[in-house]
């Protein structure tokens, strides 16, 4: 079986900044990444810098935390860390009472109300924000 | 300079006279008297209000008490924002004392984070410090510290011990001899008039030509509406720790002297008060 290319999927839109509802999302507005499965029209021009509504996040598991099958996500800038945590927990089928910690730069855990857009601005590199997630406190 | 060190002390020991009143909706067994307290500008509400909590719980039944939360004129107060920031942003144009309403029920889940323990405050504080150092020194300085140094920062902060805190924090204010400042300045700009919680971006303290960037340079770059030219005299106040620093102040100096203990410059943009 050929290795499935990393696909950039849409994080489902949230109704409130924290609330999550998983729904089928069409990939038509996916940010340009190489996967063959996503229907990205080559003519789509990605507006530069701040105007880009979504940012790319790469999720990495720490320790024995389950690994997400899809690691790359296009996320709205205003999505909060709590919103992301709720989404990952649902995706990994974790119980609500189980904790999940998210780290930036493998050094600090941003506040749950932090917007990913701000984190991307300050700590993104190579066009994406890398976030490590863990069921226990990894970096204090 | 001795003067500069005095600034550090003035910032650390800033206080806001506050009057805490129990919300009228709360059920009490006796009349609840207001409670007066001087709040440290640089601390967090849930860290310094144990006495407030005890005072009001004395007149309430156990079953009517759940997590305490605070509100000012209808706005729930985020415990994870420094007290001085909350005051400057929401109440600086009002007369003292700052009148805060205390609640023990109907916790506003959408507006506030829970504060389950002192450990949660410590975790938040240390995370802010780490984020600040990620910007200033690519985390090198804070990561080189031992666990006991981190503990000393927290204990010094929690116990209002200026010297204990700054014995370690001074290392976070240093920069390589060949540079003229930090890599990027940790700052957050808050306005009540916008949807976004705050503005935080990468901004260097020194320009390519070696000139020191000023507070005015920062605002022009990341929040130009705040310092818009006089159109009908609608200029805003740019406030840190209750004062309006001159816009010509070098940002590097502000970062070293007017940061909060979390090493961030928390800047409020507020409408000019109309007296």
């Amino acid at each position: 079986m050929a290795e499935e290319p990393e696909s950039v999927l849409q994080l489902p839109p949230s109704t409130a900044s924290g609330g999550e509802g998983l729904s089928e999302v069409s990939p038509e507005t996916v940010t340009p990444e190489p996967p063959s499965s996503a229907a990205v029209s080559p003519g789509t021009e990605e507006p530069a810098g701040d105007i880009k509504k979504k940012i790319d996040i790469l999720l990495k598991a720490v320790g024995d935390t389950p690994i997400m099958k899809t690691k790359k996500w296009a996320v709205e800038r205003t999505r909060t860390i709590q919103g992301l945590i709720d989404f990952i927990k649902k995706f990994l089928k974790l119980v609500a009472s189980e904790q999940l910690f998210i780290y930036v730069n493998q050094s600090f855990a941003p506040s749950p109300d932090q917007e990913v857009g701000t984190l991307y601005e300050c700590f993104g590199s190579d066009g994406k924000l890398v976030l490590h997630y863990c069921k226990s406190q990894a970096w204090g | 300079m001795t003067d500069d060190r005095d600034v550090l002390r003035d910032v650390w020991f800033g206080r806001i006279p506050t009057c805490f009143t129990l919300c009228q909706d709360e059920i009490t067994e006796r009349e609840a008297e207001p409670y007066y307290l001087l709040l440290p500008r640089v601390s967090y509400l849930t860290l310094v209000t144990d006495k407030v909590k005890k005072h009001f719980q004395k007149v309430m039944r156990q079953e009517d008490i759940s997590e305490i939360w605070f509100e000012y004129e209808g706005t729930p107060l985020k415990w994870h924002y420094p007290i001085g920031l909350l005051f400057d942003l929401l109440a600086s144009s009002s007369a003292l004392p700052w009148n805060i309403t205390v609640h023990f029920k109907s916790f506003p889940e959408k507006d506030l984070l829970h504060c389950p323990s002192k450990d949660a405050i410590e975790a938040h504080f240390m995370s802010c410090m780490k984020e600040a150092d990620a910007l200033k020194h690519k985390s090198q300085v804070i990561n080189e510290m031992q666990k006991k140094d981190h503990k000393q920062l927290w204990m010094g902060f929690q116990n209002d011990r200026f010297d204990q805190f700054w014995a370690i924090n001074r290392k976070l204010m240093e920069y390589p001899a060949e540079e003229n400042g930090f890599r990027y300045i940790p700052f957050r700009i808050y306005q009540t008039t916008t949807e976004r919680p705050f503005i935080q971006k990468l901004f260097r303290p020194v320009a390519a030509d070696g000139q020191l960037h000023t507070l005015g340079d920062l605002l022009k770059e990341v929040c130009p509406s705040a310092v818009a030219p006089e159109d009908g005299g609608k200029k805003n106040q740019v406030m840190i720790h209750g004062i309006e620093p001159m816009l010509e102040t070098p940002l590097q100096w502000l970062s070293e002297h007017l940061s909060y203990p979390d090493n961030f410059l928390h800047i409020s943009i507020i409408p000019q008060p109309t007296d």
Side-chain angles (χ1 to χ4, degrees), chain A residues 29-95:
Chain A
T29 48
V30 158
T31 55
E33 279 284 325
S36 52
S37 50
V40 179
S41 108
T44 312
E45 217 164 66
E46 203 44 68
D50 294 17
I51 320 162
K52 208 164 79 163
K53 282 248 187 70
K54 290 192 199 253
I55 55 126
D56 292 340
I57 289 184
L58 179 62
L59 295 172
K60 291 190 169 178
V62 178
D64 55 2
T65 314
I67 299 174
M68 291 187 61
K69 278 221 180 83
T70 307
K71 297 180 179 54
K72 283 191 200 159
W73 295 89
V75 185
E76 278 168 11
R77 286 170 172 269
T78 53
R79 179 71 54 118
T80 63
I81 286 290
Q82 186 59 55
L84 199 57
I85 288 175
D86 292 342
F87 175 75
I88 298 173
K89 281 168 76 168
K90 278 212 182 95
F91 200 87
L92 294 177
K93 300 198 191 345
L94 297 182
V95 193

Side-chain angles (χ1 to χ4, degrees), chain B residues 10 32 35 61 68 82 111 158 184 212 235 252 257 267:
Chain B
D10 288 343
Y35 191 87
R61 289 177 315 175
I68 193 172
D111 299 299
Q158 182 188 31
Y184 297 109
L212 289 175
K235 247 170 145 196
Q252 176 65 29
H257 296 88
I267 302 168

Side-chain angles (χ1 to χ4, degrees), chain A residues 16-17 50 105-115 118-119 121-123 137 139-140, chain B residues 78 80-81 110 113 123-124 127 130-131 134-135 139 143 188 196-202:
Chain A
S17 58
D50 294 17
N105 278 9
Q106 294 176 270
S107 64
F108 67 91
S111 187
D113 61 344
Q114 249 296 31
E115 292 186 344
T118 304
L119 291 170
E121 290 282 324
C122 296
F123 304 104
Q137 284 197 303
W139 287 285
Chain B
K78 297 182 201 287
H80 67 295
Y81 281 11
K110 289 213 156 58
L113 300 179
H124 168 70
S127 202
K130 287 177 184 173
E131 183 174 354
L135 292 167
S139 302
N143 283 348
R188 287 183 180 167
R196 351 174 27 178
F198 53 75
I199 299 170
Q200 179 182 337
K201 292 190 171 162
L202 293 178

